[in-house]
Amino acid sequence: MFVVLLGAPGAGKGTQAKVLSERLHLPHVASGDIFRANLANDTRLGQQARPYVESGQLVPDDLTTAMVMDRLEQPDCAAGALLDGYPRTVEQARSLDSELAKRGLTLDRVVYIRVPTVDLLRRLTGRWICRQCQTPYHEVTAPPTVRGVCDVCGGELYQRTDDKPETVQKRLDVFFAQTAPLIDYYQKAGILVEVDGQKGIEDVTRDVLAALGAA
Ligand code: AP5
Ligand code: MG
């Protein structure tokens, strides 16, 4: 099963994907996590992506699609994947459709996690991420047991450089201009389901599983 988690920055895609990938036995493919790993290792791709990621803009479609397709060609993605943060433009959505079609596959479901903008701002500015396993926390709504330490792997928690208030606003603007049209795109394809992302983390997980018929 190929599933896309769609939602604005801070909607909870990464938070939900961590749980859902285990429950659904699907590899979690997060374009933002792959970019951040490339930035941290200062690879050629990381150098190309850095100015876009750090300023809250989208990395060009050709670079992003090549990177994600490379990941989807790994053996663990042969039967499915849980995509988080990709596709993010209509052009990327078309690329995903045609790459899957080449393999005789189709995208099964797109889950749109809807959250009001005021909550997104609060969530992103209070977020902490594990440097090792990328698990997201929130200083108020989802704190780790020990401050600064990941509950899952013991890694160090840090704040993303693109979670500065001015960059967060840029990312939200980019979402509404370039990614929100995908809601209509997937609605027309008949594979969009919407969940209320304002609920608590576990309630959202339950609603996503129900929407996927996997509750
Ligand atoms: P990416 O890493 O994908 O960032 P994003 O889409 O901005 O999304 P976030 O990771 O900020 O939010 P999330 O929905 O995962 O929320 P989270 O679960 O952490 O992309 C980063 C950059 O990479 C982009 O700006 C771009 O430059 C580049 N990029 C990536 N993909 C690309 C693409 N396809 N094309 C081009 N460029 C691309 O939760 C947020 C906070 O809320 C956490 O603190 C969490 O604890 C809390 N929280 C979560 N759920 C709840 C809840 N239900 N109630 C209360 N709090 C909650
Ligand atoms: Mg994320």
Side-chain angles (χ1 to χ4, degrees):
M1 179 163 63
F2 285 86
V3 176
V4 166
L5 293 181
L6 181 64
K13 302 181 296 294
T15 300
Q16 294 301 326
K18 287 278 171 203
V19 184
L20 292 168
S21 74
E22 278 188 27
R23 296 282 293 272
L24 299 168
H25 307 290
L26 291 174
H28 175 199
V29 175
S31 46
D33 289 353
I34 307 176
F35 278 131
R36 280 184 290 281
N38 278 278
L39 259 63
N41 294 323
D42 202 28
T43 64
R44 187 172 146 71
L45 175 63
Q47 288 167 8
Q48 290 169 309
R50 186 180 300 280
Y52 300 99
V53 174
E54 290 188 344
S55 63
Q57 298 178 72
L58 295 185
V59 179
D61 286 333
D62 53 347
L63 279 182
T64 307
T65 292
M67 174 186 83
V68 174
M69 292 314 151
D70 194 45
R71 177 67 188 90
L72 290 179
E73 276 162 20
Q74 304 300 311
D76 62 326
C77 296
L82 181 62
L83 288 151
D84 156 9
Y86 183 94
R88 243 178 164 95
T89 63
V90 171
E91 187 178 329
Q92 290 180 15
R94 292 201 180 109
S95 299
L96 178 63
D97 287 344
S98 70
E99 290 295 326
L100 288 176
K102 277 186 211 161
R103 292 161 56 181
L105 300 165
T106 51
L107 184 56
D108 295 280
R109 278 276 179 273
V110 175
V111 180
Y112 173 44
I113 307 175
R114 184 188 287 277
V115 176
T117 307
V118 53
D119 292 327
L120 298 171
L121 287 166
R122 210 175 5 236
R123 286 183 184 190
L124 292 172
T125 48
R127 173 169 62 181
W128 291 78
I129 302 266
C130 175
R131 210 177 274 289
Q132 279 177 40
C133 76
Q134 314 291 324
T135 295
Y137 295 86
H138 190 277
E139 55 194 24
V140 178
T141 56
T145 311
V146 178
R147 192 177 162 78
V149 180
C150 178
D151 287 350
V152 178
C153 74
E156 178 203 3
L157 304 186
Y158 78 107
Q159 286 194 289
R160 274 170 45 178
T161 52
D162 61 347
D163 279 346
K164 292 193 294 272
E166 61 276 19
T167 316
V168 164
Q169 188 57 54
K170 176 72 191 163
R171 285 161 57 209
L172 289 172
D173 294 345
V174 165
F175 172 79
F176 289 111
Q178 299 190 57
T179 307
L182 291 182
I183 299 166
D184 193 44
Y185 179 91
Y186 287 123
Q187 210 150 31
K188 286 191 176 129
I191 55 170
L192 187 86
V193 289
E194 186 177 314
V195 298
D196 177 2
Q198 241 187 320
K199 295 184 183 174
I201 292 171
E202 288 171 14
D203 289 339
V204 177
T205 306
R206 191 199 56 222
D207 290 354
V208 174
L209 288 170
L212 294 174

